Amino acid sequence: MTELLATVRPDDWNFPLFLHVLGATILVGATLTCASALAFARGEVKLLRLGYFTLLAVGLPSYVLMWGAAHWIYSKEGLDDAPIDFTWVTIGFVVAEGGALVFIAALITGGIGIRRLPSGGEGLLKATLVLSLVLLAAFVVAVWAMAGKPD
Amino acid sequence: MSFDEWILALHVLSAFAYVAGIVLFWVLVVAVRRADTPEETIRMTPMAMVGNAAVGIGAGGTILFGIWLAFSYGDYDIWDPWIIAALVLWAIAGAFGQRTGVVYMAGASKARELADAGQSGPNAELLALNRSSQGVIFHAASSIVVLIIVIVMIWKPGA
């Protein structure tokens, strides 16, 4: 199936696919960086801020790029009005759109936590850490589905 | 999913780990530029270890699973120009990445040396090592080469 798709994929899908992959890889990197910084901060304000602002300044634009390019590819395939009938596409949509809600929740809790630093807010940033780890796990499943294309 | 499709999924997951590690190191490259004390520099070491693990798993996985796929997939051969180009670029990216690591390890080593000597205040030499322009150039070069690999993987020139 994948071999067939790779063989028949029209050339004009390559650029939006490149943008989708670029956004997705940077998003995974930003989420990993955020989770690492928050996990190893142990109350250190600079690392807590580094983790949060990586998610905001690197993660958010890359999420928009990944999501926008995914919809661009989808419309190029002429599937906008068609029912979603592939498992891998369903997984992609669930992770991209459900993940967006989790991502926004992580940004909001983290943002409030950062504003409360240094006297408080660590609990909220721990919530951001947990949400980042949940996102990372979901992204791994999405990448597996996008690449392996299970029926 | 067939066995090859699993290998392809692992190949792509490895590529994501590789780029994720590069992104993490970009954040560290920027963050460490303000670190002029041993404590601030040493504090970033656990994050660097996560980055090293991501890059190591990513680089190893992409080459291992990629070569497997080149032999296993009927439509592709190991001597296809785009696959040879990707292999060469992978080696170049690794060489640049290794040089980046060497440059920034000098700052980490200096920080440990200062901490062991009981010096905790700002240190100009440490700041200069952490602000290495050579390190930025090597990391930028490595990132650009990896970006080109992604382009080669998507467009598959000559396939």
Side-chain angles (χ1 to χ4, degrees), chain A residues 1-3 6-7 9 11 14-15 17-18 21-22 24-26 28-30 32-33 36-37 40 44 46-47 50 54 58 140 143-144 147-150, chain B residues 1 5-6 8-9 12-13 15-16 19-21 23-24 27-28 31 34 39-40 43-44 46-47 50 54 73-76 147 150-151 153-156:
Chain A
M1 179 66 188
T2 314
E3 200 170 356
T7 308
R9 188 178 70 218
D11 284 347
N14 285 344
F15 185 63
L17 177 62
F18 168 68
V21 171
L22 184 68
T25 50
I26 295 172
V28 171
L32 177 70
T33 309
S36 304
F40 293 119
E44 171 54 40
K46 279 187 180 174
L47 273 188
L50 181 71
T54 300
V58 183
V140 168
V143 173
W144 164 80
K149 295 182 172 53
Chain B
M1 273 170 70
E5 284 167 341
W6 272 100
L8 176 64
V12 175
L13 278 167
F16 269 74
V19 178
V23 171
L24 187 149
V27 172
L28 283 184
R34 291 181 185 172
E39 192 194 352
E40 277 180 291
R43 199 178 292 134
M44 293 182 191
M47 280 184 73
V50 172
Y73 258 45
D75 286 354
Y76 307 142
L147 187 68
V150 174
I151 290 169
M153 288 290 118
I154 290 174
W155 269 268
K156 296 181 176 59

Side-chain angles (χ1 to χ4, degrees), chain B:
Chain B
M1 273 170 70
S2 69
F3 185 71
D4 276 349
E5 284 167 341
W6 272 100
I7 297 293
L8 176 64
L10 291 172
H11 176 64
V12 175
L13 278 167
S14 301
F16 269 74
Y18 199 165
V19 178
I22 288 173
V23 171
L24 187 149
F25 279 122
W26 267 120
V27 172
L28 283 184
V29 163
V30 173
V32 84
R33 290 180 71 81
R34 291 181 185 172
D36 60 355
T37 65
E39 192 194 352
E40 277 180 291
T41 309
I42 291 167
R43 199 178 292 134
M44 293 182 191
T45 307
M47 280 184 73
M49 286 167 69
V50 172
N52 280 333
V55 168
I57 291 167
T62 48
I63 198 76
L64 193 71
F65 298 125
I67 289 174
W68 177 283
L69 290 168
F71 283 109
S72 181
Y73 258 45
D75 286 354
Y76 307 142
D77 292 306
I78 193 78
W79 53 82
D80 284 348
W82 67 277
I83 293 179
I84 291 172
L87 291 171
V88 171
L89 290 166
W90 179 91
I92 294 170
F96 280 131
Q98 191 268 339
R99 296 294 296 273
T100 310
V102 169
V103 169
Y104 285 106
M105 275 307 291
S109 300
K110 181 70 183 172
R112 273 193 295 273
E113 191 184 299
L114 289 167
D116 289 345
Q119 295 181 38
S120 57
N123 182 281
E125 193 186 344
L126 177 62
L127 185 63
L129 287 169
N130 285 340
R131 286 188 172 180
S132 163
S133 55
Q134 211 182 21
V136 175
I137 290 166
F138 283 138
H139 194 51
S142 171
S143 307
I144 290 166
V145 173
V146 169
L147 187 68
I148 296 169
I149 295 174
V150 174
I151 290 169
V152 168
M153 288 290 118
I154 290 174
W155 269 268
K156 296 181 176 59

